[in-house]
Amino acid sequence: RKEVEQDPGPFNVPEGATVAFNCTYSNSASQSFFWYRQDCRKEPKLLMSVYSSGNEDGRFTAQLNRASQYISLLIRDSKLSDSATYLCVSHSGNTPLVFGKGTRLSVIA
Amino acid sequence: DGGITQSPKYLFRKEGQNVTLSCEQNLNHDAMYWYRQDPGQGLRLIYYSQIVNDFQKGDIAEGYSVSREKKESFPLTVTSAQKNPTAFYLCASNGGRDTEQFFGPGTRLTVL
């Protein structure tokens, strides 16, 4: 069973803090990776794709380490609005995406 | 606007009744998916379809059935054989390999 593992948290951090999440994936054939954000009682939405070279979008940075089979998400200058569950996702070929169970983040004023 | 619609948002049914959840997309996506999410839990794949008139079981297909007669539509039937059907059901689609998967807003099913 190909899986994605994440620390469920919760991560409780003060506003302005930097927080990092890691996840590991078991399928070495995985070719693409994503981070999704899910707010309480809502559907998941794409936060960012994860490229081999790493990518940055404002306060968010995603990195991929293929040798160790892990993906990371770094959030700088945390905002109250960043409070959500962050889902790590791997994908291989034409098979369905494999979702982690998510890491819960709570940013506190 | 393109997107995925699911209806209804909330659904209540009596135990022993079959119920069908609607999922429609106008994104021209070939692949569609149904997930179930229980409180505080991750997404679990029920069924998926990569092309019209074809679908495959996911990890928890027992007690569910689907059809894919049109590209735009992928309805899910929760049958009376599903032992614990109360959950949040999410439909999704994507347009091909390595592309973003879009989700509908979900249907919360409560079986009384």
Side-chain angles (χ1 to χ4, degrees), chain A residues 1 31-32 34 36 38 40-46 87 91-97 99-102, chain B residues 10 33 35 37 41-43 45 48 50 59 88 90 94 96-105 108:
Chain A
R1 175 76 172 89
Q31 297 158 331
S32 52
F34 307 91
Y36 277 73
Q38 185 175 23
C40 188
R41 301 177 70 82
K42 298 286 190 180
E43 74 274 25
K45 294 185 178 179
L46 180 69
L87 307 175
H91 189 211
S92 173
N94 285 324
T95 60
L97 273 65
F99 286 81
K101 293 184 178 180
Chain B
Y10 299 96
Y33 308 82
Y35 297 88
Q37 189 173 37
Q41 302 298 312
L43 302 174
L45 183 64
Y48 65 101
Q50 294 183 313
D59 300 316
F88 185 39
L90 287 158
N94 71 12
R97 294 176 61 159
D98 302 330
T99 61
E100 176 184 356
Q101 184 160 296
F102 293 87
F103 286 84
R108 291 198 177 275

Side-chain angles (χ1 to χ4, degrees), chain B residues 9-80:
Chain B
K9 188 173 182 179
Y10 299 96
L11 187 57
F12 297 87
R13 279 293 181 270
K14 290 184 178 179
E15 192 172 347
Q17 290 182 333
N18 290 356
V19 60
T20 297
L21 310 184
S22 165
C23 176
E24 304 280 330
Q25 54 100 358
N26 61 2
L27 299 166
N28 199 34
H29 285 170
D30 285 316
M32 297 186 73
Y33 308 82
W34 273 105
Y35 297 88
R36 168 184 173 138
Q37 189 173 37
D38 293 283
Q41 302 298 312
L43 302 174
R44 291 190 288 169
L45 183 64
I46 305 173
Y47 267 99
Y48 65 101
S49 167
Q50 294 183 313
I51 198 166
V52 174
N53 292 322
D54 188 40
F55 49 82
Q56 287 78 40
K57 293 182 179 180
D59 300 316
I60 55 164
E62 186 175 351
Y64 300 97
S65 65
V66 292
S67 62
R68 187 84 187 278
E69 297 176 3
K70 298 187 300 182
K71 189 175 188 177
E72 302 79 20
S73 178
F74 190 40
L76 173 74
T77 296
V78 185
T79 75
S80 56

